[in-house]
Amino acid sequence: MSDIILHHYDASPFAEKARMMLGFKGLAWRSVEIPRIMPKPDLMALTGGYRRTPVMQVGADIYCDTAMIARQLDRIQPLPALYPEGREAVAASTAHFADQVMFQHGVALNFQPHAVAERFKGAPDEVKKAFQADRKKLFEGGSATPLHPAQALSQWPTLLGRLEQQLADSGTFLLGEEPCVADFAYYHALWFVRGNRAIAELLDPYPQVLSWMDAVAACGHGEASVLDSADAVEIARNADPEPLSETGFEDLAGAQVGAQVTVSAVDYGVDPVAGTLVYQDAEEIVIRREDERAGEVHVHFPRYGFRISPEK
């Protein structure tokens, strides 16, 4: 198998989720640092337009969204499982809630004026303005609406109180004696809060949560080595996508393998990726695309939260 390559940047919460999952699996991986804001030319050569962070690459196979990354990591190394046997639905649904709702709250709290000032301390004003403009554009055209900080503050005791009680009753981790995808999904949103000194005190009333965060953090990030982004594109060019099996899956909305389609996120970062639909099942969508620099690649998306449309 080709090396696992993660395209990410240090401050990204979802990238932290991916790094922690790699650490949980004890995997070695190559680290490609990408820009925090557009443009991202080397990443676009691989994804065809998907711009959200992180993206995982294995040879000429490109995995978008941490839900898809988690499922691929379970294929690469089944144990310990991110989706534990017999609790797959609970783990996936809990992770989705955390990735959406808890993350929304973490972002809103970080975008309070004093929190923004802390996060961008020492950075030129143009850097802060460029970042805010980029994130505003990220939400254009999608179903997600940024949460107002006042609403996030109002709801914070509810969300954290529930988590505190769950951890007091369940033990070290959310669904058992080992962490799973649900833990990493909750963790990354709270890591985003804990990492900002202006708002970290919002976690202080919740000792069970803080203890659990320390236990999750102990998974580490695995063994990373640096790779240049242009070299990652060359790796894709020199590789072939992994073979795909026949599933017999029928999309109730009518998408057919072999059709020219676009795939895009529904909530935010909705830039479409065009290509040929070459695989689909209940969890995954794969399209084949050709790129001048990266050659033939397969781009993998989770089905849930993404839209397949006929290419116009």
Side-chain angles (χ1 to χ4, degrees):
M1 187 190 78
S2 300
D3 289 344
I4 296 169
I5 302 169
L6 190 69
H7 300 258
H8 67 126
Y9 60 88
D10 286 348
S12 162
F14 276 102
E16 178 66 5
K17 178 186 174 186
R19 294 186 294 258
M20 293 299 304
M21 293 192 296
L22 288 160
F24 171 64
K25 294 284 189 180
L27 292 167
W29 52 283
R30 309 299 304 276
S31 172
V32 174
E33 184 172 354
I34 62 174
R36 297 188 184 200
I37 64 175
M38 294 295 278
K40 306 179 182 183
D42 291 338
L43 185 67
M44 296 302 101
L46 296 168
T47 68
Y50 179 86
R51 55 153 296 182
R52 285 160 40 168
T53 305
V55 168
M56 189 174 82
Q57 173 188 355
V58 182
D61 286 275
I62 313 301
Y63 300 91
C64 301
D65 195 278
T66 54
M68 187 71 260
I69 290 170
R71 293 191 179 278
Q72 180 59 21
L73 290 177
D74 265 1
R75 294 177 192 138
I76 291 170
Q77 184 164 294
L79 296 175
L82 287 162
Y83 295 92
E85 186 176 0
R87 287 167 290 165
E88 294 92 344
V90 173
S93 299
T94 303
H96 180 74
F97 175 87
D99 284 344
Q100 296 290 318
V101 176
M102 188 60 79
F103 176 68
Q104 246 190 344
H105 284 71
V107 169
L109 296 175
N110 268 279
F111 271 81
Q112 298 173 92
H114 68 294
V116 170
E118 175 64 30
R119 188 160 290 282
F120 287 92
K121 183 185 291 184
D125 284 346
E126 56 266 27
V127 171
K128 182 172 73 173
K129 290 177 181 177
F131 183 85
Q132 291 175 325
D134 180 83
R135 291 307 186 263
K136 181 180 179 181
K137 188 172 182 180
L138 185 66
F139 279 88
E140 291 178 357
S143 63
T145 302
L147 185 66
H148 193 281
Q151 188 65 27
L153 285 167
S154 175
Q155 294 174 167
W156 187 252
T158 305
L159 293 174
L160 270 291
R162 290 173 180 173
L163 187 57
E164 182 80 359
Q165 184 61 54
Q166 168 76 17
L167 291 166
D169 293 341
S170 67
T172 306
F173 300 108
L174 290 176
L175 298 182
E177 295 304 312
E178 288 190 333
C180 68
V181 69
D183 292 275
F184 298 117
Y186 263 96
Y187 174 84
H188 81 91
L190 300 183
W191 170 87
F192 196 37
V193 174
R194 197 179 195 182
N196 188 331
R197 289 188 298 178
I199 56 172
E201 64 183 18
L202 291 170
L203 292 165
D204 290 346
Y206 308 101
Q208 295 284 350
V209 171
L210 290 170
S211 178
W212 161 82
M213 288 186 73
D214 291 340
V216 176
C219 293
H221 289 167
E223 184 182 341
S225 57
V226 174
L227 180 69
D228 185 78
S229 61
D231 291 337
V233 175
E234 191 64 20
I235 287 170
R237 171 173 283 282
N238 293 329
D240 294 319
E242 288 296 311
L244 297 166
S245 60
E246 295 284 342
T247 65
F249 177 85
E250 292 188 13
D251 177 30
L252 296 178
Q256 298 287 329
V257 168
Q260 298 300 305
V261 300
T262 62
V263 178
S264 57
V266 172
D267 49 3
Y268 63 94
V270 299
D271 309 79
V273 179
T276 304
L277 182 64
V278 291
Y279 178 90
Q280 58 177 337
D281 63 21
E283 294 287 354
E284 184 174 5
I285 301 162
V286 185
I287 64 170
R288 181 179 64 238
R289 55 177 301 273
E290 294 276 349
D291 183 83
E292 184 179 289
R293 295 177 58 209
E296 179 184 327
V297 296
H298 283 175
V299 188
H300 302 244
F301 302 91
R303 176 173 292 275
Y304 195 87
F306 284 75
R307 177 187 297 113
I308 310 174
S309 304
E311 187 176 6
K312 297 178 181 178

